[in-house]
Amino acid sequence: MHDDDEASGRVTLAAVAKEAGVSMPTVSKVLNGRSDVSRATRAKVERLLEVHGYRRRTQAASRSPLIELVFHELDSIWAMELIRGVENVARENRATVVLTESGTRHTPAPEWLPGVLQRRPLGVVLVFSTLPEDVKRRLRAAAIPFVVIDPAGDPDPDVPSVGSANWAGGLAATRHLTEQGHERVAIITGPEDMLCSLARLDGYRSAMAMAGLEADPRLTRFGDFHVQGGFEHAMDLLEGPDRPTAVFAGSDLQALGVLEAARVKGLRVPEDLSVVGYDDVPLAQWSSPPLTTVHQPLRHMAEEAARMLLRPDDPGTAAQRIELATHLVARQSTAPPKEA
């Protein structure tokens, strides 16, 4: 660090303290995530730090060699793929991965923030669709870079994020089925309030239209990306004589639920029912039969997010969005319908 850099930092902090009407120690407390500062004072200082574009020049030396990975739930199969991806990059950079479970699928819980400000990691990878403005402001004020791995597909424009091509994935899955001759194709997508679910649904509808088929609204279901939800929706879809001949499940876990529902109903896969999943988690190739699915590059997404964290001074990564390609992996869970 050069002396003029350090001096520049002091001048900036002094200007912030003067403009905020507080002391330099108070500004330091805000920067270090201390709790003994009033909410109003903290918000004023953080806003001024952002306005002045302040970045701590000595931060790299003082931060812990940690990359924090934050989920709303850690019990999903795809979470392990994201963990492995971040771990790969952390190992290359002699850093350690810290896992945190917090909040909902939309945003981390408020109580997470003071802890991360005290831990002062190299950066934070968040698996959420949005971040509250105060979280973004406080992380930036503390010079802690962050990147969102965005499963919902709707990142804020000022948030660096990594996602995948959900619409193209839904299109590829459904076209695979229609090209085999299926006309009654059901979809069990994800939650209705997540854009990734809606994008996969739009891809499904586009593929049906391209095949000259009408997407029957009775064959559209919104699931929760878990096995039980896939099972329950499939049990209902497969009831009665006018059942679908194929199901596109918006996650591999939901597809496993569909396979179990088919077994309970006495249907053979793929002879009586074709099933396509989404994600291509390692378990997909070991289902019975091996699952045709859309490969979402989860591990690669996590690696890209971690690399973005470690180059925060690159102007090109300030609010960068990386969207990785998806592709279909054909296995043994799909075949032409019996009447085709």
Side-chain angles (χ1 to χ4, degrees), residues 90-202:
R91 191 184 311 113
E92 294 170 1
N93 291 273
R94 299 182 179 180
T96 301
V97 178
V98 175
L99 300 178
T100 300
E101 187 173 27
S102 176
T104 69
R105 63 176 176 263
H106 295 291
T107 187
E111 59 268 20
W112 164 75
L113 191 57
V116 74
L117 293 175
Q118 291 178 357
R119 287 188 289 276
R120 306 201 64 78
L122 295 172
V124 183
V125 176
L126 301 115
V127 189
F128 296 96
S129 55
T130 57
L131 287 180
E133 288 300 320
D134 66 310
V135 171
K136 293 187 285 188
R137 185 180 67 246
R138 294 181 68 179
L139 288 173
R140 287 170 178 149
I144 298 175
F146 56 91
V147 177
V148 168
I149 297 178
D150 181 36
D154 186 29
D156 293 331
D158 63 338
V159 175
S161 64
V162 181
S164 67
N166 288 293
W167 180 86
L171 181 78
T174 311
R175 284 190 68 178
H176 173 72
L177 295 169
T178 59
E179 288 174 354
Q180 289 188 326
H182 292 278
E183 297 183 358
R184 287 190 59 75
V185 180
I187 179 172
I188 306 172
T189 189
E192 195 168 3
D193 61 350
M194 294 182 72
L195 282 192
C196 64
S197 308
L198 299 177
R200 293 170 197 176
L201 176 59
D202 284 344

Side-chain angles (χ1 to χ4, degrees), residues 21-58:
V22 300
S23 65
M24 284 281 286
T26 299
V27 176
S28 178
K29 288 179 181 179
V30 172
L31 279 169
N32 289 287
R34 294 270 297 274
S35 59
D36 52 340
V37 180
S38 72
R39 180 176 297 181
T41 298
R42 180 185 304 280
K44 181 191 295 183
V45 171
E46 288 171 344
R47 181 181 60 81
L48 290 172
L49 287 168
E50 188 170 2
V51 167
H52 283 269
Y54 177 75
R55 293 293 181 270
R56 293 179 64 165
R57 302 297 181 97
T58 60

Side-chain angles (χ1 to χ4, degrees), residues 166 169-171 173-174 177 185-189 200-201 203-204 246-251 254 258 274-278 294:
N166 288 293
L171 181 78
T174 311
L177 295 169
V185 180
I187 179 172
I188 306 172
T189 189
R200 293 170 197 176
L201 176 59
Y204 156 84
V247 176
F248 165 37
S251 73
Q254 288 185 153
V258 175
S274 286
V275 180
V276 179
Y278 201 104
V294 174

Side-chain angles (χ1 to χ4, degrees), residues 8-88:
S8 175
R10 286 174 177 164
V11 169
T12 303
L13 286 182
V16 169
K18 182 178 180 180
E19 190 171 346
V22 300
S23 65
M24 284 281 286
T26 299
V27 176
S28 178
K29 288 179 181 179
V30 172
L31 279 169
N32 289 287
R34 294 270 297 274
S35 59
D36 52 340
V37 180
S38 72
R39 180 176 297 181
T41 298
R42 180 185 304 280
K44 181 191 295 183
V45 171
E46 288 171 344
R47 181 181 60 81
L48 290 172
L49 287 168
E50 188 170 2
V51 167
H52 283 269
Y54 177 75
R55 293 293 181 270
R56 293 179 64 165
R57 302 297 181 97
T58 60
Q59 188 66 20
S62 64
R63 285 185 297 182
S64 303
L66 305 173
I67 296 177
E68 185 146 348
L69 179 55
V70 190
F71 295 88
H72 80 279
E73 60 178 7
L74 286 169
D75 60 351
S76 63
I77 297 175
W78 56 262
M80 289 304 302
E81 290 298 291
L82 297 179
I83 292 169
R84 289 188 180 100
V86 174
E87 177 63 31
N88 288 344

